[in-house]
Amino acid sequence: MPRSPRVVVCSCEDITLGDIESCLDKGYRDIEAVKRYTGFGTGICQGRSCLHLVTRILVSRGAEDHEIIPFTPRPPLVPVPLGMYAELDEHRDVSADDGAEATEDSKGTER
Amino acid sequence: MTSRRHRPLREARPVKIKHDGEIIDAFEGEPLAAALMAADVRVLSRSAKYHRPRGAACGSGDCANCLVTVDGLPNRSACMTPCRDGMVSESQNVLGSAENDLLGITDWMFPWGLDHHEMFTGVPLVQPVVQRVVRKLSGLGVLKERGTTQGDSTSVRSGPITVDVLVVGAGTSGMAAAEAAALGGASVLVVEARSITGGRLSSGVHRDPEETFARRREAEQRGVSIWTESTAVQIDRHDHPLEVLVLRASGLAQVIPRVVVMAPGGYGATGIFENNDLPGVVAAEWAGRLLSKWGVLVGERPLICADNPAAETLSRLFTEAGAPPARVVPLSAAFALASMDPPPIRLVSAKGTRHVERAVIETDDGRETIPCDVIVIAAPPAPAFELALDAGCKVAYEPTSGGFAVASDADGRTAAPDILACGTVTGPCSVEQAFERGSRAGRMAAEVALLPENRQSPAPESRHAS
């Protein structure tokens, strides 16, 4: 049985060159649209290992400058256990509900 | 079990770790992926969708190919996790074992791929059933009800750290910047994701000027603090003009710098060809670091995909280790599928059941199968631009790597007045250029950080609110 070659361009989500090409065939040509259609760059690496591969492919298929704009990176850069953020907030003693006074207190102790 | 340990690490303490129930000899501080490679464990996990075999590929924590569960915490990059005595790791996303994963049939059941846009979408009754099956088959599974965080969190409680200059990355340009900033009178903290400093120079693939280490010693003597195994993960401007969160084994540390020098380097690439995700397709710097730093030989018959000078250096490294290259082909061969004009030599495919056993190359005269057990690719790194972009810098397409480089002037100044950038993050640069630009950015960083208006403690606006 014939297979489409597994040329993996996004290893988090197993997105292949074939997926990118069928996306281009449907008319999604810029980085943002290709990301939204295929889901590339939405895995654990958040684009660190795949964005430049997909961009190379789009450029080689004639993408124009305005189609080559990176999608917005979102923090954290690498996976962080949520508990670590909780610990940080515990220490900061600042939360959205605290008033200005609490903020001032905690800032005072930080210096 | 074959050992790929080429030479023992005399300077490191031997420890025992456990991987998938097997006790493995390792050295303290070496990356888990290096210890597993030394013990000939080449398949570390399976991919999310097709359950394809995966092993360490980039060696810098930037791809998803070596994710394992470490001491109960999932999705840890084995290439960035240092070995500690008694550490327990497990391969992820497998039914059976990583070598023989029953769900590996997914890869064969869907020869034309799985397009989630066309999986009975919109068909009543059928769609939810298919979705359930697909969800069961793919994805990284269910998290344990209670996760564990490594270590204790005492260091987090020590509170935010204020510093004049924070340097992100302890490679060539980062260390040069740190030294120059310290010389300019600034207090300096360097954070480095790896357990070792030196960036690309630690791989042995690039020339190693004596100067690097001299600069590091110099920087340390000037009171520069260097945190290794510490990744800057987030940059905010909410409560302070600049606030950077740094992920360390002990938790998140909050750093409040006046100026940040971005020198995080770039991401390695492993080419665009069939089965480019097969264990044994590796970035040159990872292969080089495994050999020169951790004494582990990644393969005995390497196919080297590189241009000079990296091609020569890699050939020499492998030959000296008793593993002369099976073939050396130009780097363009690995990116033939994304070239405007097809290069004369094209790497078509990596072949092998669980790891690389052969490579197929193509010229205008036809195809040739080359027996090899590793494909080493020396591609220009794609700039690690994310934090800089988040902090207000501008980026532009950088054609040699396909990535995006941070726009900066010769002194490292960017669109954000309190962010400077140097080294690979600003585009391809030689070791000499990285030194030069790092030093200039470091001098500029000290100058900006010590300006009278920046010297005042950052006062939060909320103080006078309400």
Side-chain angles (χ1 to χ4, degrees), chain A residues 1-4 6-8 11-12 14 26 37 44-45 48-49 52 55-56 59-61 70 73 75-79 84-85 87-88 90-92 100 103 107 110-111, chain B residues 47 49-50 52 54 61-62 64-65 67 75 107-108 110-112 117-118 153 157 159 233-234 239-240 243 247 254 267 275-276 337-338 340 382 390 397 400-402 458:
Chain A
M1 190 176 183
R3 288 165 57 83
S4 71
R6 298 284 202 246
V7 180
V8 178
S11 61
C12 300
D14 272 355
K26 290 185 171 77
Y37 187 82
I44 279 169
C45 90
R48 300 202 301 283
S49 66
H52 51 99
T55 307
R56 265 179 197 265
V59 169
S60 72
R61 268 65 170 170
L77 197 62
V78 301
M84 287 186 178
Y85 275 97
E87 276 166 1
L88 193 69
E90 219 167 81
H91 164 77
R92 278 171 164 172
T103 310
K107 297 296 174 204
E110 280 168 11
R111 298 224 178 85
Chain B
S47 72
K49 195 155 126 188
Y50 300 122
R52 292 168 63 78
R54 292 281 167 82
D62 297 321
N65 289 15
L67 297 176
N75 296 338
D107 200 19
W108 295 100
F110 300 96
W112 286 99
H117 296 283
E118 288 159 14
S153 56
R157 302 264 145 80
V233 294
Q234 185 165 344
D239 299 335
H240 301 274
E243 176 183 328
L247 177 65
Q254 194 184 359
Y267 308 130
N275 300 329
N276 54 347
L337 289 172
M340 303 265 200
D390 258 0
Y397 177 61
T400 59
S401 66

Coordinates of all heavy atoms in Angstrom, one line a residue, chain A residues 1-4 6-8 11-12 14 26 37 44-45 48-49 52 55-56 59-61 70 73 75-79 84-85 87-88 90-92 100 103 107 110-111, chain B residues 47 49-50 52 54 61-62 64-65 67 75 107-108 110-112 117-118 153 157 159 233-234 239-240 243 247 254 267 275-276 337-338 340 382 390 397 400-402 458:
Chain A
M1 N 0.8 -1.2 0.0 CA 0.0 0.0 0.0 C 0.9 1.3 0.0 O 1.8 1.4 0.8 CB -0.9 0.0 1.3 CG -1.9 1.0 1.3 SD -3.0 0.8 2.7 CE -4.2 2.1 2.4
P2 N 0.6 2.2 -0.9 CA 1.4 3.4 -0.9 C 1.2 4.2 0.3 O 0.1 4.2 0.9 CB 1.0 4.1 -2.2 CG -0.4 3.6 -2.4 CD -0.5 2.3 -1.8
R3 N 2.3 4.9 0.7 CA 2.2 5.8 1.9 C 2.6 7.2 1.6 O 3.5 7.3 0.7 CB 3.1 5.3 3.0 CG 2.7 4.0 3.7 CD 3.9 3.4 4.5 NE 4.4 4.3 5.4 CZ 3.9 4.5 6.7 NH1 2.9 3.9 7.1 NH2 4.5 5.4 7.5
S4 N 2.1 8.2 2.2 CA 2.6 9.5 2.1 C 3.9 9.5 3.0 O 3.8 9.1 4.1 CB 1.6 10.6 2.5 OG 1.5 10.6 3.9
R6 N 6.6 10.2 5.6 CA 6.5 10.9 6.9 C 7.7 11.9 6.9 O 8.8 11.5 7.4 CB 6.6 10.0 8.0 CG 5.4 9.0 8.1 CD 4.1 9.7 8.6 NE 3.2 8.7 9.1 CZ 2.0 8.4 8.6 NH1 1.6 9.0 7.5 NH2 1.2 7.4 9.1
V7 N 7.5 13.1 6.4 CA 8.5 14.1 6.5 C 8.0 15.0 7.6 O 7.1 15.8 7.4 CB 8.7 14.9 5.2 CG1 9.7 16.0 5.3 CG2 9.0 14.0 4.0
V8 N 8.6 14.8 8.8 CA 8.0 15.4 10.0 C 8.5 16.9 10.1 O 9.7 17.1 10.3 CB 8.2 14.6 11.3 CG1 7.6 15.3 12.5 CG2 7.6 13.2 11.1
S11 N 7.4 17.9 15.3 CA 7.5 16.6 16.0 C 6.6 16.5 17.2 O 6.3 15.4 17.6 CB 9.0 16.3 16.3 OG 9.5 17.2 17.2
C12 N 6.2 17.6 17.8 CA 5.3 17.6 18.9 C 4.0 17.0 18.5 O 3.3 16.2 19.2 CB 5.1 19.0 19.5 SG 6.5 19.8 20.1
D14 N 3.3 15.7 15.3 CA 3.4 14.9 14.1 C 2.8 15.5 12.9 O 2.0 14.9 12.1 CB 2.7 13.5 14.4 CG 3.6 12.5 15.0 OD1 4.8 12.8 15.2 OD2 3.2 11.4 15.4
K26 N -5.3 24.4 0.1 CA -6.6 24.9 0.5 C -6.6 26.5 0.6 O -7.6 27.1 0.9 CB -7.1 24.4 1.8 CG -7.4 22.9 1.8 CD -8.0 22.4 3.1 CE -8.5 21.0 3.0 NZ -7.4 20.0 2.9
Y37 N -4.5 26.0 11.0 CA -5.1 24.9 10.3 C -4.5 23.5 10.7 O -5.2 22.6 10.9 CB -5.0 25.1 8.7 CG -5.8 24.0 8.0 CD1 -7.2 24.1 7.8 CD2 -5.2 22.9 7.5 CE1 -7.9 23.1 7.2 CE2 -5.9 21.9 6.9 CZ -7.2 22.0 6.7 OH -7.9 21.0 6.1
I44 N 4.5 21.0 22.8 CA 5.4 21.3 24.0 C 6.5 22.3 23.6 O 6.8 23.2 24.4 CB 5.9 20.0 24.6 CG1 4.8 19.4 25.4 CG2 7.2 20.2 25.3 CD1 5.0 18.1 25.9
C45 N 7.0 22.2 22.4 CA 8.1 23.1 22.0 C 7.6 24.5 21.6 O 8.3 25.5 21.6 CB 8.9 22.6 20.9 SG 8.4 23.0 19.2
R48 N 9.6 26.2 18.8 CA 11.0 26.3 18.8 C 11.7 25.4 17.8 O 12.7 25.8 17.2 CB 11.6 26.1 20.2 CG 11.1 27.0 21.3 CD 12.0 27.1 22.5 NE 12.2 25.8 23.2 CZ 11.4 25.2 24.0 NH1 10.2 25.8 24.2 NH2 11.6 24.1 24.5
S49 N 11.1 24.2 17.6 CA 11.8 23.3 16.7 C 11.1 23.3 15.3 O 11.7 22.7 14.4 CB 11.8 21.9 17.3 OG 10.5 21.4 17.4
H52 N 10.9 27.4 12.2 CA 11.8 27.7 11.2 C 11.8 26.7 10.0 O 12.0 27.1 8.9 CB 13.3 27.8 11.7 CG 13.7 26.7 12.6 ND1 14.5 25.7 12.1 CD2 13.4 26.4 13.9 CE1 14.7 24.8 13.1 NE2 14.1 25.2 14.2
T55 N 8.6 27.8 8.1 CA 8.9 29.0 7.4 C 9.7 28.8 6.1 O 9.4 29.3 5.0 CB 9.6 30.0 8.3 OG1 8.8 30.1 9.5 CG2 9.7 31.4 7.7
R56 N 10.8 27.9 6.3 CA 11.6 27.5 5.1 C 10.7 27.0 4.0 O 10.9 27.3 2.8 CB 12.5 26.4 5.5 CG 13.9 26.8 5.9 CD 14.7 25.5 6.2 NE 15.9 25.7 7.0 CZ 17.1 25.8 6.4 NH1 17.2 25.7 5.1 NH2 18.2 26.0 7.2
V59 N 8.5 29.7 2.4 CA 9.3 30.6 1.5 C 9.7 29.9 0.2 O 9.6 30.5 -0.9 CB 10.6 31.1 2.3 CG1 11.6 31.7 1.3 CG2 10.2 32.0 3.4
S60 N 10.0 28.6 0.3 CA 10.4 27.9 -0.9 C 9.2 27.7 -1.8 O 9.3 27.4 -3.0 CB 11.0 26.5 -0.6 OG 10.0 25.6 -0.1
R61 N 7.9 27.8 -1.3 CA 6.7 27.7 -2.1 C 6.2 29.1 -2.5 O 5.0 29.2 -2.8 CB 5.6 27.0 -1.3 CG 5.5 25.4 -1.5 CD 6.7 24.7 -1.0 NE 6.7 23.3 -1.0 CZ 7.7 22.5 -0.8 NH1 8.9 23.1 -0.6 NH2 7.6 21.2 -0.7
P70 N 6.2 35.7 12.4 CA 6.0 34.7 13.3 C 4.7 34.8 14.2 O 4.3 36.0 14.4 CB 7.3 34.8 14.2 CG 7.7 36.2 14.1 CD 7.3 36.6 12.7
P73 N 4.7 34.5 20.5 CA 5.1 33.5 21.5 C 4.4 33.8 22.8 O 4.1 35.0 23.1 CB 6.6 33.8 21.7 CG 6.9 35.0 20.9 CD 5.7 35.5 20.2
P75 N 4.3 33.0 27.0 CA 5.1 32.5 28.1 C 4.3 31.4 28.8 O 3.1 31.4 28.7 CB 5.3 33.7 29.0 CG 4.2 34.6 28.7 CD 3.9 34.4 27.2
P76 N 5.0 30.5 29.5 CA 6.4 30.3 29.7 C 7.0 29.7 28.5 O 6.4 28.9 27.8 CB 6.6 29.5 30.9 CG 5.3 28.6 30.9 CD 4.2 29.5 30.4
L77 N 8.3 30.0 28.3 CA 9.0 29.5 27.1 C 9.2 28.0 27.1 O 9.1 27.3 26.1 CB 10.5 30.1 27.1 CG 11.3 30.1 25.9 CD1 10.6 30.8 24.8 CD2 12.6 30.6 26.1
V78 N 9.3 27.3 28.3 CA 9.3 25.9 28.4 C 8.3 25.5 29.4 O 7.9 26.3 30.2 CB 10.7 25.3 28.8 CG1 11.8 25.7 27.8 CG2 11.1 25.8 30.2
P79 N 7.8 24.2 29.4 CA 6.8 23.9 30.4 C 7.2 24.1 31.8 O 8.4 23.7 32.2 CB 6.6 22.4 30.1 CG 7.0 22.2 28.7 CD 8.1 23.1 28.5
M84 N 4.7 25.7 40.7 CA 5.8 26.6 40.8 C 5.3 28.0 40.7 O 5.8 28.9 41.4 CB 6.9 26.4 39.8 CG 7.7 25.1 40.1 SD 9.1 25.0 38.9 CE 9.9 23.5 39.5
Y85 N 4.3 28.3 39.8 CA 3.7 29.6 39.8 C 2.9 29.9 41.1 O 2.9 31.0 41.6 CB 2.7 29.7 38.6 CG 3.4 30.1 37.3 CD1 3.8 29.1 36.4 CD2 3.7 31.4 37.0 CE1 4.5 29.4 35.2 CE2 4.4 31.7 35.9 CZ 4.8 30.8 35.0 OH 5.4 31.1 33.8
E87 N 3.6 28.7 44.0 CA 4.6 29.0 45.1 C 5.1 30.5 45.0 O 5.3 31.2 45.9 CB 5.8 28.1 45.0 CG 5.6 26.8 45.6 CD 6.6 25.8 45.2 OE1 7.5 26.1 44.4 OE2 6.5 24.6 45.7
L88 N 5.3 30.9 43.7 CA 5.8 32.2 43.5 C 4.7 33.3 44.0 O 5.1 34.2 44.6 CB 6.0 32.4 42.0 CG 6.7 33.6 41.5 CD1 8.2 33.5 41.9 CD2 6.6 33.7 40.0
E90 N 2.4 32.8 46.2 CA 2.4 32.7 47.7 C 3.4 33.6 48.3 O 3.1 34.4 49.2 CB 2.7 31.3 48.1 CG 1.9 30.7 49.2 CD 2.1 29.2 49.2 OE1 3.2 28.8 49.8 OE2 1.3 28.5 48.6
H91 N 4.6 33.6 47.7 CA 5.7 34.4 48.2 C 5.4 35.8 48.0 O 5.6 36.7 48.8 CB 7.0 34.0 47.5 CG 8.0 35.0 47.7 ND1 8.7 35.1 48.9 CD2 8.5 36.0 46.9 CE1 9.5 36.2 48.8 NE2 9.4 36.7 47.6
R92 N 5.0 36.2 46.7 CA 4.8 37.6 46.4 C 3.7 38.2 47.3 O 3.7 39.4 47.5 CB 4.3 37.7 45.0 CG 5.3 37.6 43.9 CD 4.6 37.5 42.6 NE 5.4 37.8 41.5 CZ 5.0 37.6 40.3 NH1 3.8 37.2 40.0 NH2 5.8 37.9 39.3
A100 N -4.3 48.0 46.7 CA -3.0 48.7 46.5 C -2.1 48.6 47.8 O -0.9 48.6 47.7 CB -3.2 50.2 46.2
T103 N -0.2 45.5 47.9 CA 0.9 45.5 46.9 C 2.1 46.3 47.5 O 3.2 45.9 47.4 CB 0.4 46.2 45.6 OG1 -0.8 45.6 45.3 CG2 1.4 46.1 44.5
K107 N 5.8 45.0 48.2 CA 7.0 45.7 47.6 C 8.0 46.1 48.6 O 9.2 46.0 48.4 CB 6.5 46.9 46.8 CG 5.6 46.6 45.6 CD 6.2 45.7 44.6 CE 5.2 45.3 43.6 NZ 5.6 44.1 42.9
E110 N 10.3 43.6 49.6 CA 11.2 43.0 48.6 C 12.5 43.8 48.5 O 13.5 43.3 48.0 CB 10.5 43.2 47.2 CG 9.5 42.0 46.9 CD 8.6 42.3 45.7 OE1 9.0 43.3 45.0 OE2 7.6 41.6 45.6
R111 N 12.5 45.0 49.0 CA 13.8 45.7 48.8 C 14.7 45.6 50.0 O 14.3 45.5 51.1 CB 13.4 47.2 48.7 CG 12.6 47.4 47.4 CD 13.0 48.5 46.6 NE 12.2 48.5 45.4 CZ 10.9 49.1 45.4 NH1 10.5 49.7 46.5 NH2 10.2 49.0 44.3
Chain B
S47 N 5.9 9.3 19.6 CA 5.3 10.6 19.3 C 3.8 10.6 19.6 O 3.2 9.5 19.8 CB 5.5 10.9 17.8 OG 4.7 10.1 17.0
K49 N 0.9 11.5 18.0 CA -0.2 11.1 17.1 C 0.1 9.7 16.5 O -0.8 8.8 16.7 CB -0.3 12.1 16.0 CG -1.5 12.1 15.2 CD -1.8 13.5 14.6 CE -2.0 13.4 13.1 NZ -2.0 14.8 12.5
Y50 N 1.2 9.5 15.8 CA 1.4 8.2 15.1 C 2.2 7.2 16.0 O 2.6 6.2 15.5 CB 2.1 8.5 13.8 CG 1.3 9.4 12.9 CD1 1.9 10.6 12.4 CD2 0.0 9.0 12.4 CE1 1.1 11.4 11.5 CE2 -0.7 9.8 11.6 CZ -0.1 11.0 11.1 OH -0.8 11.8 10.2
R52 N 5.3 7.3 16.7 CA 6.6 7.0 16.0 C 7.7 7.0 17.0 O 7.7 7.7 18.0 CB 6.8 8.0 14.9 CG 5.8 7.9 13.8 CD 5.9 9.1 12.9 NE 7.2 9.2 12.2 CZ 7.6 8.5 11.1 NH1 6.8 7.6 10.7 NH2 8.8 8.7 10.6
R54 N 10.9 7.9 19.0 CA 11.7 9.1 19.1 C 12.9 9.0 20.0 O 12.8 8.3 21.0 CB 10.7 10.2 19.6 CG 9.6 10.6 18.6 CD 10.1 11.5 17.5 NE 9.2 11.7 16.4 CZ 8.1 12.5 16.4 NH1 7.9 13.3 17.5 NH2 7.4 12.6 15.4
G61 N 17.0 20.8 24.4 CA 15.7 21.0 25.0 C 14.7 21.7 24.2 O 13.7 22.2 24.7
D62 N 14.9 21.8 22.9 CA 14.1 22.6 22.0 C 13.1 21.8 21.1 O 12.4 22.4 20.4 CB 14.9 23.5 21.2 CG 15.7 24.5 22.0 OD1 15.2 25.0 23.0 OD2 16.9 24.7 21.7
A64 N 10.6 18.0 20.7 CA 9.8 17.2 21.6 C 10.2 15.7 21.5 O 9.5 14.8 21.9 CB 8.3 17.3 21.2
N65 N 11.4 15.5 21.0 CA 11.8 14.1 20.7 C 12.3 13.3 21.8 O 12.4 12.1 21.7 CB 12.8 14.1 19.5 CG 12.2 14.5 18.2 OD1 11.1 15.1 18.2 ND2 12.8 14.3 17.1
L67 N 11.2 13.5 25.2 CA 10.4 13.8 26.4 C 10.2 12.5 27.2 O 9.7 11.5 26.7 CB 9.1 14.4 26.1 CG 9.1 15.7 25.4 CD1 7.7 16.2 25.1 CD2 9.8 16.8 26.3
N75 N 6.9 15.0 30.7 CA 7.4 15.9 29.6 C 8.7 16.6 30.0 O 8.9 17.8 29.7 CB 6.3 17.0 29.4 CG 5.1 16.4 28.8 OD1 5.1 15.3 28.2 ND2 4.0 17.1 28.9
D107 N 0.7 4.4 13.1 CA 1.5 4.9 12.0 C 1.2 4.1 10.7 O 1.3 4.7 9.6 CB 3.0 4.8 12.3 CG 3.9 5.7 11.5 OD1 3.4 6.7 10.9 OD2 5.1 5.5 11.4
W108 N 0.9 2.8 10.8 CA 0.6 2.0 9.6 C -0.8 2.0 9.2 O -1.2 1.9 8.1 CB 1.1 0.6 9.9 CG 2.6 0.6 10.1 CD1 3.3 0.5 11.2 CD2 3.6 0.7 9.0 NE1 4.6 0.6 11.0 CE2 4.8 0.7 9.6 CE3 3.5 0.8 7.6 CZ2 6.0 0.8 8.9 CZ3 4.7 0.9 6.9 CH2 5.9 0.9 7.5
F110 N -2.8 4.5 9.2 CA -3.2 5.7 8.5 C -2.0 6.1 7.6 O -1.4 7.1 7.8 CB -3.5 6.8 9.5 CG -4.7 6.5 10.4 CD1 -4.4 6.0 11.7 CD2 -6.0 6.7 10.0 CE1 -5.5 5.7 12.5 CE2 -7.0 6.4 10.8 CZ -6.8 5.9 12.1
P111 N -1.8 5.3 6.5 CA -0.7 5.6 5.6 C -0.7 7.0 5.0 O 0.3 7.5 4.7 CB -0.7 4.5 4.6 CG -2.1 4.0 4.6 CD -2.6 4.2 6.0
W112 N -1.9 7.5 4.8 CA -2.0 8.9 4.2 C -2.1 10.0 5.3 O -2.4 11.1 5.0 CB -3.1 8.9 3.2 CG -2.7 8.2 2.0 CD1 -3.0 6.9 1.6 CD2 -1.8 8.6 1.0 NE1 -2.4 6.5 0.5 CE2 -1.6 7.6 0.1 CE3 -1.1 9.8 0.8 CZ2 -0.8 7.6 -1.0 CZ3 -0.3 9.9 -0.3 CH2 -0.1 8.8 -1.2
H117 N -9.3 17.6 10.3 CA -10.3 18.3 9.7 C -11.3 17.4 8.9 O -12.4 17.8 8.5 CB -9.8 19.4 8.7 CG -8.9 20.4 9.4 ND1 -9.5 21.4 10.1 CD2 -7.6 20.6 9.4 CE1 -8.5 22.2 10.5 NE2 -7.4 21.7 10.2
E118 N -10.8 16.2 8.6 CA -11.6 15.4 7.8 C -12.0 14.1 8.5 O -12.4 13.1 7.8 CB -10.8 15.1 6.5 CG -10.8 16.3 5.6 CD -9.6 16.2 4.6 OE1 -9.0 15.2 4.4 OE2 -9.3 17.3 4.0
S153 N 11.4 24.1 47.6 CA 11.2 25.4 47.0 C 11.8 26.5 47.9 O 11.4 27.6 47.8 CB 9.7 25.6 46.8 OG 9.1 25.4 48.0
R157 N 11.7 31.1 48.1 CA 11.3 32.0 49.2 C 12.2 33.1 49.5 O 12.0 34.0 50.3 CB 11.1 31.1 50.5 CG 10.1 30.0 50.3 CD 8.7 30.4 50.8 NE 7.7 29.8 50.0 CZ 7.2 28.5 50.1 NH1 7.8 27.7 51.0 NH2 6.3 28.1 49.3
G159 N 13.0 35.4 47.8 CA 12.5 36.6 47.3 C 13.2 37.1 46.0 O 14.1 36.4 45.5
V233 N 12.1 32.0 31.4 CA 10.9 31.5 30.7 C 9.9 32.6 30.5 O 9.0 32.3 29.7 CB 10.3 30.3 31.5 CG1 11.2 29.1 31.6 CG2 9.9 30.8 32.9
Q234 N 10.1 33.7 31.0 CA 9.0 34.7 30.9 C 9.6 36.1 31.2 O 10.4 36.2 32.1 CB 7.9 34.4 31.9 CG 6.7 35.2 31.8 CD 5.5 34.6 32.6 OE1 5.5 33.4 32.9 NE2 4.5 35.4 32.9
D239 N 4.6 44.7 37.4 CA 4.9 45.3 38.6 C 6.2 46.1 38.7 O 6.4 46.9 39.5 CB 4.9 44.3 39.8 CG 3.5 43.6 39.9 OD1 2.5 44.2 39.4 OD2 3.5 42.4 40.3
H240 N 7.0 45.8 37.7 CA 8.4 46.4 37.6 C 8.6 46.7 36.2 O 8.0 46.1 35.3 CB 9.4 45.4 38.1 CG 9.3 45.0 39.5 ND1 9.7 45.7 40.6 CD2 8.6 43.9 40.1 CE1 9.4 45.1 41.7 NE2 8.7 44.0 41.4
E243 N 10.7 42.4 34.6 CA 10.8 41.3 35.6 C 10.9 40.0 34.8 O 10.1 39.7 33.8 CB 9.4 41.3 36.4 CG 9.3 40.1 37.3 CD 8.0 40.0 38.1 OE1 7.4 41.1 38.3 OE2 7.5 38.9 38.3
L247 N 13.4 29.6 35.5 CA 13.0 28.2 36.0 C 14.3 27.5 36.4 O 15.2 27.4 35.6 CB 12.3 27.5 34.8 CG 12.0 26.0 35.1 CD1 10.9 25.9 36.2 CD2 11.5 25.3 33.9
Q254 N 12.5 35.0 40.7 CA 12.0 36.2 40.1 C 13.2 37.2 40.1 O 13.8 37.5 41.2 CB 10.9 36.8 41.1 CG 10.1 37.9 40.6 CD 9.1 38.3 41.7 OE1 9.1 37.8 42.8 NE2 8.4 39.3 41.4
Y267 N 18.2 27.5 17.9 CA 17.7 26.2 17.9 C 18.3 25.4 16.8 O 18.3 25.8 15.6 CB 16.2 26.2 17.8 CG 15.5 27.1 18.8 CD1 14.5 28.0 18.3 CD2 15.8 27.0 20.1 CE1 13.9 28.9 19.2 CE2 15.1 27.9 21.0 CZ 14.2 28.8 20.6 OH 13.6 29.6 21.5
N275 N 11.3 10.5 7.3 CA 11.7 9.9 8.5 C 12.8 10.7 9.2 O 13.7 10.2 9.9 CB 12.2 8.5 8.3 CG 11.1 7.6 7.8 OD1 9.9 7.8 8.1 ND2 11.4 6.6 7.0
N276 N 12.7 12.0 9.1 CA 13.7 12.9 9.7 C 13.6 12.9 11.2 O 14.4 13.5 11.9 CB 13.6 14.4 9.2 CG 12.2 14.9 9.3 OD1 11.3 14.2 9.5 ND2 12.1 16.2 9.1
L337 N 13.9 19.4 0.1 CA 12.5 19.5 -0.1 C 12.0 20.9 0.2 O 10.8 21.2 -0.1 CB 11.8 18.5 0.9 CG 11.9 17.1 0.5 CD1 11.3 16.2 1.5 CD2 11.2 16.8 -0.9
A338 N 12.8 21.8 0.8 CA 12.4 23.2 1.0 C 13.4 24.1 0.3 O 13.7 25.2 0.8 CB 12.4 23.5 2.5
M340 N 14.4 26.2 -3.3 CA 13.8 26.8 -4.6 C 14.4 26.0 -5.7 O 13.6 25.5 -6.6 CB 14.2 28.3 -4.7 CG 13.8 29.1 -3.6 SD 12.3 29.9 -3.9 CE 12.3 31.3 -2.7
A382 N 18.5 28.4 14.4 CA 17.4 29.4 14.2 C 17.4 30.3 15.5 O 17.3 29.7 16.6 CB 16.1 28.8 14.0
D390 N 8.7 39.1 23.0 CA 7.8 39.4 24.1 C 8.1 40.7 24.8 O 7.3 41.4 25.3 CB 7.9 38.3 25.1 CG 6.7 37.3 25.0 OD1 5.9 37.5 24.2 OD2 6.7 36.3 25.8
Y397 N 12.8 38.1 9.3 CA 13.1 36.8 8.7 C 14.6 36.6 8.4 O 15.2 37.6 7.9 CB 12.2 36.6 7.4 CG 12.5 35.2 6.8 CD1 12.3 34.0 7.4 CD2 13.1 35.2 5.5 CE1 12.6 32.8 6.8 CE2 13.3 34.0 4.9 CZ 13.1 32.8 5.5 OH 13.4 31.6 4.9
T400 N 19.1 32.1 6.2 CA 20.0 31.0 6.3 C 19.4 29.9 7.2 O 19.7 28.7 7.0 CB 21.4 31.4 6.8 OG1 21.3 32.0 8.1 CG2 22.1 32.3 5.8
S401 N 18.7 30.3 8.3 CA 18.2 29.2 9.2 C 16.7 29.0 9.0 O 16.1 28.1 9.5 CB 18.4 29.7 10.6 OG 17.7 30.8 10.9
G402 N 16.0 30.0 8.3 CA 14.5 29.9 8.2 C 13.9 30.5 9.4 O 12.6 30.5 9.5
P458 N 12.8 51.1 40.8 CA 11.6 51.2 40.1 C 10.4 51.3 41.0 O 10.2 50.5 41.8 CB 11.6 49.8 39.3 CG 12.7 49.0 39.9 CD 13.5 49.8 40.8

